[in-house]
Amino acid sequence: MAQQLRVLQSLWAMERRLANESEWPLQDQLAMIRVAGFDGAGVRFIDPVFATEVTGFLRSHDMVWQAQCYPKTVDDLKPVLELVARLGADHVNLQADVRPQQLAHCIPLLDGWRRLAEQAGIAVHIETHRDRMTTDLFFTLKLLDCFPDLRLTADLSHYLVGREFAWPVDDVNHSLIHRILDNAWGLHGRIASREQVQISLSFPQHQDWVKLFLGWWEYGIRSWKRRAGPDAVLTFLCELGPPPYAITGADGKELSDRWTEALIMKDMIRALWDQVAHEP
């Protein structure tokens, strides 16, 4: 078996949040994801009833999922791992819901989560995300100095907008992002600009940012392929979030169709994977 890419759709990204229209029923959301050709979904593993319903659907259609969680303590991860042991998951995507200002305060948490993951035999990736332990790019790089083998989920949108890199992005900042990608075992898909964490990938004025992220994702794919085993699976989660992530106009309506753009992103990342895979 060769290395594989699995493109997932975030269930959070399926939320509409429209004042005058109801949300899509969960089963409709799952059917949309399946019919659109996604390989699976990103699923919050907080409510066991919800997680059981969603994974039951995905399993019945030979789809995969990643388990999302937001622990504040080491012990907060235990019920998530117990639920994954029962329901399965490609991996656990962990947003560390703490904000230490010193590395010393992070080490016991990361040590504890890594120990629990090893004991359970379940892959756990730490997501790069604002307002979390990994909120700051430089701080996260220092974490990698402490834990060179720390497995990350790279959501690069947070670091571009958080650091507000000058345009064009220079070699120094590219190298910092590459360090994150060299520890990435999964990718989250959202395109940002220097000032906005989520922009439409179809607008003409945003195409330079689209090219920037495609370049970073290509580097991430290449780096992962060198590090991963011959039959490993890389997941890419399309995560175009609802408002206020999505930009809205004066009428409160979004300026672009996120679902359509998720389908475009799915095809873009698959084409990028195929391009890399078929190179001599």
Side-chain angles (χ1 to χ4, degrees), residues 31-159:
M32 290 170 64
I33 292 170
R34 178 182 65 82
V35 172
F38 286 97
D39 298 305
V43 185
R44 290 185 178 117
F45 263 52
I46 305 302
D47 177 358
V49 174
F50 173 81
T52 299
E53 179 180 359
V54 171
T55 58
F57 177 97
L58 296 172
R59 183 182 294 104
S60 70
H61 292 92
D62 297 320
M63 300 171 75
V64 299
W65 57 93
Q66 60 178 236
Q68 320 261 136
C69 67
Y70 317 89
K72 298 177 184 293
T73 69
V74 171
D75 287 346
D76 284 349
L77 184 59
K78 290 180 179 179
V80 176
L81 294 175
E82 291 169 359
L83 193 57
V84 170
R86 178 160 63 86
L87 300 178
D90 178 84
H91 66 276
V92 172
N93 183 72
L94 188 157
Q95 283 190 22
D97 192 10
V98 291
R99 297 142 197 90
Q101 297 185 33
Q102 297 181 18
L103 292 174
H105 296 160
C106 300
I107 291 173
L109 291 167
L110 290 172
D111 274 336
W113 289 328
R114 282 153 57 94
R115 182 181 66 254
L116 290 176
E118 183 177 359
Q119 291 171 350
I122 295 171
V124 174
H125 305 167
I126 308 297
E127 183 178 354
T128 61
H129 202 290
R130 288 171 302 155
D131 198 34
R132 299 290 187 257
M133 179 190 289
T134 52
T135 187
D136 180 73
L137 173 59
F138 291 169
F139 190 85
T140 303
L141 294 176
K142 291 179 181 178
L143 288 176
L144 293 183
D145 291 337
C146 297
F147 297 93
D149 61 342
L150 187 65
R151 293 195 170 210
L152 299 177
T153 294
D155 185 337
L156 302 176
S157 64
H158 295 288
Y159 288 152

Side-chain angles (χ1 to χ4, degrees), residues 5 30 64 133 149 195 197 255:
L5 172 73
L30 294 169
V64 299
M133 179 190 289
D149 61 342
E195 295 82 12
V197 75
L255 301 184

Side-chain angles (χ1 to χ4, degrees), residues 177-209:
I177 293 295
H178 290 170
R179 275 200 68 197
I180 297 294
L181 289 167
D182 283 333
N183 277 71
W185 293 86
L187 300 170
H188 278 193
R190 178 185 305 109
I191 291 175
S193 70
R194 297 177 63 216
E195 295 82 12
Q196 297 161 329
V197 75
Q198 181 172 299
I199 59 174
S200 170
L201 56 88
S202 61
F203 291 2
Q205 66 268 32
H206 295 159
Q207 294 315 297
D208 284 340
W209 301 112

